Amino acid sequence: MRPHLTSEMREFIGRQAMVFLATADSHGECDASFRAGPPGFVHVIDEHALAYPEFRGNGVLASAGNMTENPHLGMLFVDFTHHRIGLHVNGVARLYRDGDLRRIHPGLPTGTVPGRSPEIWVHLTVEEAYIHCSKYIPHLEPAPRPAGHDRARPKDADYFTQPHVPPAGPSVGPAVPAEETPRIHGGHRAGPSRFPRLRKLAWKSDPSG
């Protein structure tokens, strides 16, 4: 457990093309999310801070909305393709407009995603960083995206609401009968996950305060 990013951690983050996020709102209701981009899209500012961009089109804004209520952010970087190792980075997040953060840190990358500019940046002040061991991390082989559109695949907005034939995969055994499904939230049967509340993002345009 380190209170800052070592040089090896900083180099590791600079090679990663994805990160998993953990946030919670002011009531402690949690949300897990995922971000991806070109290697190094999460920019290491120094041993105590890093930042990543948010682009237009992230309509739910669950993670950023949670951060306006509860600034604690957990990030998990996992190398699935090379050394099969992970890195946890936890700290305090703050949202900045693109121009405001660039005035503080002129070295922020530009053109991270060609043709798109960040709407906001999430800046993390690092409080702790530690390893996620390689046990049970699967080894994945990078593969190019298939060319063309799969007509049998529903659009993203309809994927979990329209019937379709899923791709063949490994057998996972028989379905668990309804009476055996786990109960959560004070004994109530688990139902469809709530949609995170839409929240108006709030941040200070004055980066000094």
Side-chain angles (χ1 to χ4, degrees):
M1 179 80 69
R2 299 295 178 92
H4 62 272
L5 301 174
T6 66
S7 59
E8 292 80 10
M9 291 173 179
R10 299 196 295 272
E11 189 275 334
F12 178 83
I13 293 172
R15 290 189 282 109
Q16 302 313 303
M18 67 180 76
V19 63
F20 300 91
L21 307 178
T23 62
D25 65 15
S26 59
H27 301 289
E29 295 182 358
C30 300
D31 184 77
S33 194
F34 169 79
R35 295 291 183 272
F41 80 101
V42 177
H43 176 66
V44 177
I45 296 172
D46 56 36
E47 64 180 357
H48 297 290
L50 51 78
Y52 68 88
E54 292 278 16
F55 297 94
R56 182 182 296 276
N58 184 8
V60 176
L61 293 173
S63 298
N66 281 345
M67 292 176 212
T68 65
E69 297 184 11
N70 177 352
H72 297 285
L73 170 64
M75 306 179 74
L76 173 61
F77 300 87
V78 183
D79 176 359
F80 291 101
T81 62
H82 188 47
H83 286 157
R84 300 189 309 280
I85 200 75
L87 174 66
H88 294 262
V89 182
N90 299 327
V92 176
R94 184 175 178 183
L95 307 182
Y96 285 91
R97 298 181 190 276
D98 182 59
D100 292 336
L101 190 59
R102 288 186 188 280
R103 279 193 288 273
I104 306 171
H105 300 292
L108 285 178
T110 58
T112 303
V113 177
R116 303 182 69 187
S117 298
E119 289 286 295
I120 60 174
W121 286 82
V122 177
H123 175 280
L124 183 76
T125 300
V126 176
E127 293 185 331
E128 58 185 22
Y130 59 95
I131 192 172
H132 186 99
C133 71
S134 61
K135 189 175 183 180
Y136 302 127
I137 294 179
H139 179 75
L140 305 181
E141 292 290 340
R145 285 179 177 268
H149 176 67
D150 182 357
R151 295 183 179 274
R153 179 192 185 278
K155 295 181 178 179
D156 289 0
D158 302 326
Y159 194 89
F160 295 109
T161 59
Q162 304 260 337
H164 64 281
V165 179
S171 173
V172 295
V176 179
E179 63 272 18
E180 295 182 16
T181 56
R183 295 175 180 269
I184 59 174
H185 300 309
H188 298 290
R189 191 176 304 280
S193 176
R194 64 179 177 86
F195 285 103
R197 294 191 304 276
L198 296 180
R199 305 181 182 91
K200 182 179 180 181
L201 294 182
W203 56 80
K204 298 180 180 180
S205 59
D206 178 7
S208 65

